Amino acid sequence: VECSSAEEALAAAGAGADIILLDNMAPQELHVAAAQVKATHPGVTVEASGGIVLGTLPQFLGPHIDVVSMGCLTHSAPALDFALRV
């Protein structure tokens, strides 16, 4: 379930969500929300997403973050023009 606040994340986890995606949060806010989710629902997977790039990745890593999604890996990938002849 995609959540944009700690309150939404706790409600989603309480309703039975297996994975909580914390989207577009500042690193400090993200870590607080993730810690709250893990404290009350330790079996829930917590994913960080939204605006994360290689340069800011370390700020989003932490003990309560299980997965990090980075759209920049796909939407910023350069095109490759090639052909295959069989």
Side-chain angles (χ1 to χ4, degrees), residues 1 32 44 49 52 56 63:
V1 175
V32 170
V44 171
S49 182
I52 303 170
T56 62

Side-chain angles (χ1 to χ4, degrees), residues 1-13 19-38 44-52 60 64-70:
V1 175
E2 184 174 317
C3 302
S4 58
S5 70
E7 294 77 25
E8 287 180 4
L10 290 168
I19 301 172
I20 302 296
L21 186 146
L22 299 174
D23 195 30
N24 292 315
M25 291 183 163
Q28 187 65 15
E29 179 186 13
L30 173 102
H31 293 298
V32 170
Q36 290 175 346
V37 169
K38 288 292 192 172
V44 171
T45 299
V46 177
E47 179 176 351
S49 182
I52 303 170
F60 291 90
H64 306 293
I65 305 298
D66 300 303
V67 178
V68 177
S69 295
M70 295 174 45

